[in-house]
Amino acid sequence: MEHQTQNIIKGIAAAPGIAIANAFIYTKEKEIVNDDPIVDVDEALQNLEIALTQSKKELRKVFSLAVDKLGEKRAAIFDAQIMILDDPILIANLKERITKEKKVPEFIVEDEISKYTRIMNASNEPYMKERSHDIEDIKNRIIRNIRKKKWQSKILNDVIVITSNLSPSDAVLFSRVNVKGYVTDFGGLTSHAAILSRSLNIPAVVGLHEATSKIKNDDLIIVDGFNGHVVINPSIEQLKVYRQKIEKLAQHDSELGQLKNLPAQTLDGRDIKLMANLDVSNEMEFIIQNCANGIGLVRTEQLFEEYEEFPDEDQQYNVYKNISEKIYPGEVIIRTFDIGGDKVLPVDLHEPNPMLGWRGIRLLIDNPDLFKIQIRSILKASSLKNVKIMFPMISSVSEIEESKKILNEVRNELKDAKIPFDTNIKVGIMIEVPSAAVMTKEFASQVDFISIGTNDLIQYLLAVDRGNDIVSKLYQEFHPAVIRTLNHIISEGKKSGALVSMCGEMAADPFAVPLLIGLGLDSLSVSASAIPLIKKIIRSLHFSDLQSLANECLILTNENEINEKLHKYFNSHVQDIIKNFIGS
Ligand code: PEP
Ligand code: MG
């Protein structure tokens, strides 16, 4: 028995499910470089050229957004990075050494560029030391790009990825090679990588701190994404227990599958609109299979991961049109790019506080060309009249006014050009910043609908970084301030006549669902994989009881009391075998 707990490390359960597979240690920051010999010098030189071009492309992608905004001093950092990539002396040196020494280009790049960083690191000037990180970044970027083509074949299928930190793009890239699970040292429950794991239906445990030091390549690993446990080299008994759980889960899934064509309706007849969040385009089939009543959030910023450059008007139009056609007659809410924060930008903008920085609507309003192209694509894809448009990170009325002004300009351009679109397209905003929550009535009266983004709302309301595992215990969705704020948003939003829904992760938390419905929400948008379970929960509840439950929660002042009350309620009202997996 002793042995059975010694090999378990515990972290944060970020995406449910159980996976058993071999470990693949993914070290992102530092590429391991060997001085392997090469035979084909021309091919190596060509690989270097391609990698340099690709690295420049990535840097320019951010440049095109950032250069006006960051001011000369900070923009100069990127200038310097691109200049290094263009430095004729460096490039000539690299090429000459590859030709003479006949070593793989990544080794030559590592060796040559490290000379610069060593000199800078030795300096007493803090500024020089700081810059050496930028040079290190470039070095890693070039090496990664040299290896890009080989990268996918290097990682085996069906492994559990163990890494210190997972970026959203890593999560998507790995899913393409059928990764079975994710285990990370850092990261929180609502980091975008965790959200993506849930969307991709891949079990994940994050914030383990010691995963990369305790786990070795090829170790057999069990990821228990229900409890946040990771078992390293399990015993025969542990394997047996978990294999039985996997079998039970499959039974559970098929049981839930039988609910497919039934409505998400409470026992006393209240219908809840249950929609899906769309994070990656290949989720579409999965969403349709799970019979969502529509798509309540398209995270369009994900397109940046799928296309190399900013997706142009035609590319975006095709993506949006395809979604609208496939989900028809259901509706789809397309959210304009929420770039910034912990999302998408391929290089660090060196913002001191990215979550409080240039993100979402702020960045779009500052880049009207980019914004307009996206709006045009959305409008052009709206001719089936099932498309709605939504703006992220709204924190003031003037941002709504400015966004609507830009939207109107694009409408008029399309009308003039006689391009068809839905002239009555519904417009909405995310409520995810406390200022928007406080002013829900005024904000909601400017639009047709609002959608509550609890992932950000909780982080900004409680001052707890959503992606930081060190403070993850303080990220409390049942904090009385959160519950009362939600109550305020829902009641004020409804008074103003706007439709109110929720697309943050809280909507997919089984313990939160009774409360949310009791507070009056009539529409929830969750990851497609969560739809059957949430439907089952809704179908086991009485709306009239839930209103009393919500009122009881609203007078409590301690998050533990609310948490306990909701767990008790769930356990006594929802029969679900999922309970067998939690707390084991
Ligand atoms: C949210 O903040 O709750 C939300 C849905 O938006 P995102 O997670 O994309 O920031
Ligand atoms: Mg958000």
Side-chain angles (χ1 to χ4, degrees), residues 151-210:
W151 182 81
Q152 287 219 1
S153 59
K154 242 178 70 187
I155 165 165
L156 301 169
N157 278 319
D158 303 332
V159 290
I160 290 172
V161 170
I162 319 285
T163 181
S164 65
N165 214 339
L166 191 72
S167 74
S169 51
D170 294 335
V172 176
L173 273 173
F174 282 130
S175 73
R176 294 186 188 146
V177 285
N178 199 20
V179 155
K180 294 286 182 212
Y182 292 117
V183 169
T184 73
D185 285 338
F186 305 105
L189 192 58
T190 51
S191 61
H192 287 96
I195 292 175
L196 276 171
S197 309
R198 288 194 285 276
S199 295
L200 297 162
N201 218 6
I202 299 173
V205 178
V206 301
L208 284 149
H209 294 274
E210 46 185 8

Side-chain angles (χ1 to χ4, degrees), residues 359-377:
R359 183 185 163 188
I361 202 69
R362 303 168 181 182
L363 190 143
L364 294 177
I365 288 174
D366 288 342
N367 284 278
D369 292 343
L370 175 83
F371 197 13
K372 277 186 153 184
I373 288 174
Q374 187 176 30
I375 294 175
R376 270 177 78 88
S377 323

Side-chain angles (χ1 to χ4, degrees), residues 52 112 129 211 224 243 343 366 416 426 434 438 451 470 554:
L52 291 170
E112 193 62 27
K129 282 202 162 115
D224 174 353
R243 288 204 172 116
K343 290 194 249 195
D366 288 342
D416 290 347
K426 298 278 185 275
V438 171
S451 186
I470 297 171
L554 283 168

Side-chain angles (χ1 to χ4, degrees), residues 192 299 335 343 359 430 432 453-456 466 503-504:
H192 287 96
R299 285 188 168 95
R335 182 176 75 181
K343 290 194 249 195
R359 183 185 163 188
M430 297 278 299
E432 51 185 347
T454 47
N455 306 338
D456 281 311
R466 62 193 268 183
C503 60

Side-chain angles (χ1 to χ4, degrees), residues 266-268 510-518 537-538 540-550 552-553 561-575 579:
T266 62
L267 291 169
D268 49 353
F511 299 103
V513 169
L515 169 74
L516 298 176
I517 295 175
I537 294 169
I538 292 170
S540 7
L541 301 168
H542 275 99
F543 177 57
S544 50
D545 293 351
L546 302 181
Q547 287 177 302
S548 321
L549 173 74
E552 286 165 26
C553 289
E561 288 170 2
I562 300 175
N563 203 23
E564 211 175 286
K565 186 178 256 316
L566 292 174
H567 275 71
K568 253 196 200 148
Y569 192 88
F570 184 91
N571 289 332
S572 58
H573 289 80
V574 184
Q575 280 103 43
K579 281 189 286 185

Side-chain angles (χ1 to χ4, degrees), residues 256-521:
L256 289 180
Q258 291 160 13
L259 301 177
K260 254 186 189 173
N261 298 315
L262 298 174
Q265 191 183 59
T266 62
L267 291 169
D268 49 353
R270 184 174 168 85
D271 275 309
I272 304 296
K273 194 167 189 182
L274 197 50
M275 305 204 280
N277 291 349
L278 177 74
D279 291 312
V280 239
S281 47
N282 59 12
E283 266 184 297
M284 204 55 217
E285 296 307 322
F286 191 48
I287 288 177
I288 292 164
Q289 272 168 30
N290 279 300
C291 283
N293 296 142
I295 297 175
L297 167 67
V298 182
R299 285 188 168 95
T300 56
E301 56 277 6
Q302 203 52 45
L303 290 176
F304 286 80
E305 307 290 356
E306 295 176 27
Y307 291 87
E308 273 197 357
E309 306 278 341
F310 287 135
D312 65 23
E313 189 172 320
D314 279 346
Q315 286 167 327
Q316 289 189 55
Y317 165 73
N318 285 327
V319 172
Y320 307 147
K321 179 130 192 81
N322 183 33
I323 301 173
S324 142
E325 281 170 357
K326 286 213 166 119
I327 201 70
Y328 187 82
E331 67 180 32
V332 49
I333 299 177
I334 301 181
R335 182 176 75 181
T336 55
F337 300 131
D338 182 14
I339 316 170
D342 68 336
K343 290 194 249 195
V344 179
L345 289 177
V347 294
D348 187 356
L349 277 181
H350 295 265
E351 283 187 292
N353 242 323
M355 286 293 196
L356 302 180
W358 201 38
R359 183 185 163 188
I361 202 69
R362 303 168 181 182
L363 190 143
L364 294 177
I365 288 174
D366 288 342
N367 284 278
D369 292 343
L370 175 83
F371 197 13
K372 277 186 153 184
I373 288 174
Q374 187 176 30
I375 294 175
R376 270 177 78 88
S377 323
I378 299 173
L379 287 181
K380 279 166 61 184
S382 71
S383 46
L384 289 176
K385 301 195 191 311
N386 65 338
V387 174
K388 297 179 173 181
I389 186 166
M390 176 161 76
F391 302 121
M393 284 292 294
I394 294 286
S395 62
S396 70
V397 165
S398 49
E399 283 169 346
I400 306 178
E401 287 167 354
E402 185 61 26
S403 307
K404 282 171 54 178
K405 192 178 124 218
I406 295 175
L407 173 67
N408 267 337
E409 282 169 20
V410 180
R411 273 182 211 250
N412 291 336
E413 284 165 19
L414 289 181
K415 270 188 199 156
D416 290 347
K418 302 208 170 5
I419 296 173
F421 66 99
D422 178 6
T423 47
N424 287 319
I425 192 164
K426 298 278 185 275
V427 180
I429 52 168
M430 297 278 299
I431 303 284
E432 51 185 347
V433 177
S435 59
V438 171
M439 303 212 23
T440 299
K441 193 165 79 204
E442 290 80 0
F443 283 23
S445 66
Q446 302 251 357
V447 289
D448 302 300
F449 67 95
I450 59 175
S451 186
I452 308 172
T454 47
N455 306 338
D456 281 311
L457 184 60
I458 297 172
Q459 90 161 338
Y460 295 130
L461 196 59
L462 302 184
V464 181
D465 180 343
R466 62 193 268 183
N468 180 349
D469 53 285
I470 297 171
V471 287
S472 64
K473 279 204 173 66
L474 300 175
Y475 189 96
Q476 294 274 356
E477 59 182 25
F478 299 136
H479 191 294
V482 172
I483 311 275
R484 292 179 193 194
T485 303
L486 292 179
N487 184 47
H488 174 80
I489 298 171
I490 296 165
S491 58
E492 294 290 300
K494 284 188 158 184
K495 268 189 229 160
S496 77
L499 291 171
V500 185
S501 69
M502 177 180 285
C503 60
E505 289 301 300
M506 189 173 180
D509 177 355
F511 299 103
V513 169
L515 169 74
L516 298 176
I517 295 175
L519 286 171
L521 269 183

